[in-house]
Amino acid sequence: MSQPLSRDPILEAQRNWERRGWEDVAEPMAAITALMRTQQILLQRAETVLKPFGLTFARYEMLALLSFAREGSLAMNRASALLQVHATSVTNAVDRLESAGLVARTKHPTDKRTTLIALTRQGRELAAAATIELNSQVFADSGFSDRDISTLIRIFSKFRREAGDFSGDEPASE
C-alpha cells in the first residue's frame, strides 16, 4: 500500500462543495464518497485474502451462497436475485467457477427451462477454506468497533429497505 495522504481528500472535497455554495449537499456528498471509498478498501482487503484461492469476491459470494443452499443446488435466476446482481454476472461467475471445477450445472428435474448450479466437492472445500481466511483476516478485523458495526447494519438496512432492496426485517434465507 502507498503512503497515507497527509490530508483527507474527501474532507477537502466537502470544503470545495461548501466554497462553491453547495453547503446543503456538501455533507451528504462527503458521506456517500467516504462510503464508496470504504467499500473499495474493504473489497481490496477481501480480494487480497481470496487471491491465493484463485477467487474474486464475486466468485466467492457465489460459492458461499451455494454452500448455504438447503437443497444442495440453486436455480441460476434465484442466485441472481439473492446476490442482487444481473443474470449476466451470475452466468459469467458460474462459467469461470465451472471451468475451475468448483460448480456444476444441471437441468431442473421438472422445469427444463431452469438451470441449477451446485458446488462440487472441490468447490465446497475451497469455499470452506476461503471462508475461514475471510473470517479471520477481514471479518474479525474489520476496522470497526462492535458498536459501529451494529450502527452500520441498522443504517444500511434502513437505507436498502427504503430503496426497495427488500421489504421485510428478516434476511432472505435459502
Side-chain angles (χ1 to χ4, degrees):
M1 189 172 146
S2 61
Q3 284 292 99
L5 299 173
S6 61
R7 291 187 292 208
D8 182 351
I10 296 172
L11 182 57
E12 288 295 316
Q14 180 180 344
R15 290 182 187 132
N16 287 334
W17 247 245
E18 291 165 351
R19 282 193 287 271
R20 288 282 175 106
W22 303 323
E23 297 89 357
D24 58 328
V25 294
E27 278 190 341
M29 178 282 303
I32 291 167
T33 304
L35 175 63
M36 291 178 177
R37 177 62 186 135
T38 302
Q39 188 269 345
Q40 291 172 338
I41 292 167
L42 293 171
L43 181 59
Q44 186 271 329
R45 288 178 184 173
E47 296 270 351
T48 298
V49 170
L50 293 169
K51 188 174 184 174
F53 296 98
L55 295 173
T56 62
F57 192 70
R59 289 183 212 136
Y60 167 77
E61 283 184 302
M62 177 62 72
L63 295 179
L65 177 65
L66 291 172
S67 75
F68 292 116
R70 279 183 256 154
E71 303 297 321
S73 64
L74 203 56
M76 285 186 62
N77 62 351
R78 183 69 178 142
S80 176
L82 291 172
L83 293 173
Q84 299 175 304
V85 298
H86 192 273
T88 304
S89 298
V90 169
T91 299
N92 184 332
V94 171
D95 286 347
R96 291 180 183 259
L97 293 168
E98 187 175 40
S99 292
L102 302 174
V103 301
R105 294 181 220 226
T106 58
K107 288 290 180 192
H108 191 281
T110 59
D111 183 355
K112 299 301 181 203
R113 298 167 299 166
T114 300
T115 299
L116 299 175
I117 45 178
L119 289 174
T120 63
R121 183 186 54 76
Q122 180 184 353
R124 189 167 301 284
E125 291 171 1
L126 188 71
T131 299
I132 289 168
E133 293 305 313
L134 277 175
N135 282 343
S136 68
Q137 296 184 48
V138 178
F139 303 142
D141 188 17
S142 68
F144 299 106
S145 71
D146 290 346
R147 183 176 179 179
D148 287 346
I149 289 171
S150 295
T151 300
L152 288 170
I153 290 169
R154 189 177 69 254
I155 291 168
F156 295 153
S157 292
K158 179 181 183 286
F159 178 87
R160 291 175 44 240
R161 186 180 313 104
E162 290 173 359
D165 217 18
F166 64 98
S167 60
D169 291 331
E170 294 299 315
S173 63
E174 235 351 89

